[in-house]
Amino acid sequence: MNIHNNQWGSTPFLFFLTCLFLTACSSSDTTPPTVCTASDSTLPSVLMDEVEAEAGSSVTITDTFCDDEGLSEVRWDLHSAEGHAHEEDGESEDEGFVLHSGTNWAELEVRLISGTSSTEEWTVDVPADARGVWDIVASLVDEEGNAAPDVVCQLHVDNDFIPEFNLTLVNGVDPATWEGEPEWAEGSTVTLEGTVSDSDGLSSASISLVQESDELEVWSAELTPDGATSLPFSVQVTIPAGASGEYHLEMVATDLNGVTMETGFHAEVE
């Protein structure tokens, strides 16, 4: 009888232990972390739409990150905003047409953080030959592995050191109104209008069309600035008959101090 009672009594006890084990092994934390930087902060933050910077300077991004249970990791990813879009709040955000200059600058840092609130600074050195718009993407994960939606701001880099191309019209259309890369027909002619400038004066400038598959130059034109600080231009780019695929329009200028700048954009030829 005693044995029967012990066996009968062990059943609810085992059930209790099982429930306790399952409760301990399962997590009720499903809340992702957030960027909780104060709304009145005047420091550069990923919550800003755009951060301004000068080429050759340093920029420090300062943000506070929060989680109801505990933070684990923050990841900053800086890359060119050219040619792609990021989705925020269910909507795709694209910078649009931007002539980027300089090196293919990119930065990445992953940092372990802890506690329910942590204020972090991330400093990057802007290259002296950079000009254009870059994305800064902040990604957060808490101790339970909950990931927050990416937060994206844009870093706008101005540059007074290197020459600058400015395209005003392409086949009579302002490129700022483009949605995605332009599409050109094989055997057609594309008219480019704009200016190239440098405060120190320009020694040379050129425009060329390059086939991306093999880096073959299929068209080029030399401009003659003759030391001018600003040179308006209007050139007609000839798309070869039978051309197809991805091409890159390259624009290169050198000032009287020997400083060279290269920029351009992609185009699809059909």
Side-chain angles (χ1 to χ4, degrees):
M1 183 71 180
N2 289 337
I3 294 175
H4 176 74
N5 287 338
N6 287 339
Q7 289 175 338
W8 177 259
S10 67
T11 301
F13 180 69
L14 289 174
F15 177 76
F16 170 76
L17 287 179
T18 301
C19 292
L20 184 64
F21 176 77
L22 291 174
T23 302
C25 292
S26 64
S27 172
S28 60
D29 179 15
T30 59
T31 304
T34 62
V35 182
C36 55
T37 306
S39 58
D40 59 352
S41 175
T42 58
L43 299 174
S45 160
V46 293
L47 294 181
M48 295 180 174
D49 290 334
E50 186 174 82
V51 174
E52 298 283 343
E54 294 288 337
S57 69
S58 294
V59 177
T60 298
I61 304 297
T62 304
D63 281 293
T64 301
F65 307 114
C66 297
D67 186 74
D68 58 340
E69 297 289 338
L71 296 160
S72 174
E73 179 183 285
V74 59
R75 178 180 186 269
W76 292 280
D77 179 1
L78 181 149
H79 53 262
S80 170
E82 182 182 19
H84 70 280
H86 287 276
E87 186 171 296
E88 291 187 274
D89 300 325
E91 296 184 2
S92 182
E93 297 288 339
D94 192 340
E95 172 61 19
F97 179 76
V98 177
L99 284 175
H100 285 79
S101 304
T103 58
N104 186 21
W105 177 42
E107 302 278 351
L108 177 66
E109 180 169 334
V110 178
R111 185 180 302 173
L112 298 179
I113 54 178
S114 60
T116 57
S117 177
S118 181
T119 299
E120 303 290 331
E121 294 183 347
W122 185 54
T123 300
V124 294
D125 296 325
V126 185
D129 61 348
R131 177 191 286 126
V133 179
W134 278 257
D135 288 330
I136 298 176
V137 182
S139 306
L140 280 172
V141 179
D142 68 12
E143 288 180 336
E144 290 297 328
N146 298 309
D150 288 344
V151 179
V152 184
C153 78
Q154 292 183 325
L155 178 67
H156 186 271
V157 178
D158 290 321
N159 195 318
D160 295 329
F161 307 126
I162 60 178
E164 180 177 15
F165 274 94
N166 180 33
L167 277 181
T168 54
L169 294 174
V170 178
N171 275 346
V173 177
D174 182 351
T177 64
W178 288 349
E179 294 183 4
E181 64 183 28
E183 295 181 358
W184 297 338
E186 57 96 10
S188 65
T189 299
V190 177
T191 302
L192 306 178
E193 298 178 55
T195 58
V196 55
S197 60
D198 188 277
S199 59
D200 296 316
L202 294 159
S203 64
S204 65
S206 64
I207 302 175
S208 59
L209 184 65
V210 177
Q211 184 171 273
E212 292 195 358
S213 61
D214 56 7
E215 296 297 317
L216 176 66
E217 185 181 280
V218 299
W219 174 91
S220 65
E222 293 289 334
L223 306 180
T224 54
D226 294 329
T229 57
S230 181
L231 176 68
F233 63 84
S234 178
V235 297
Q236 291 187 324
V237 182
T238 301
I239 312 299
S244 65
E246 291 288 332
Y247 286 76
H248 189 250
L249 190 99
E250 295 183 355
M251 297 180 283
V252 181
T254 303
D255 68 15
L256 293 177
N257 292 325
V259 177
T260 297
M261 180 278 312
E262 180 177 337
T263 188
F265 59 89
H266 298 275
E268 177 79 17
V269 176
E270 297 179 345

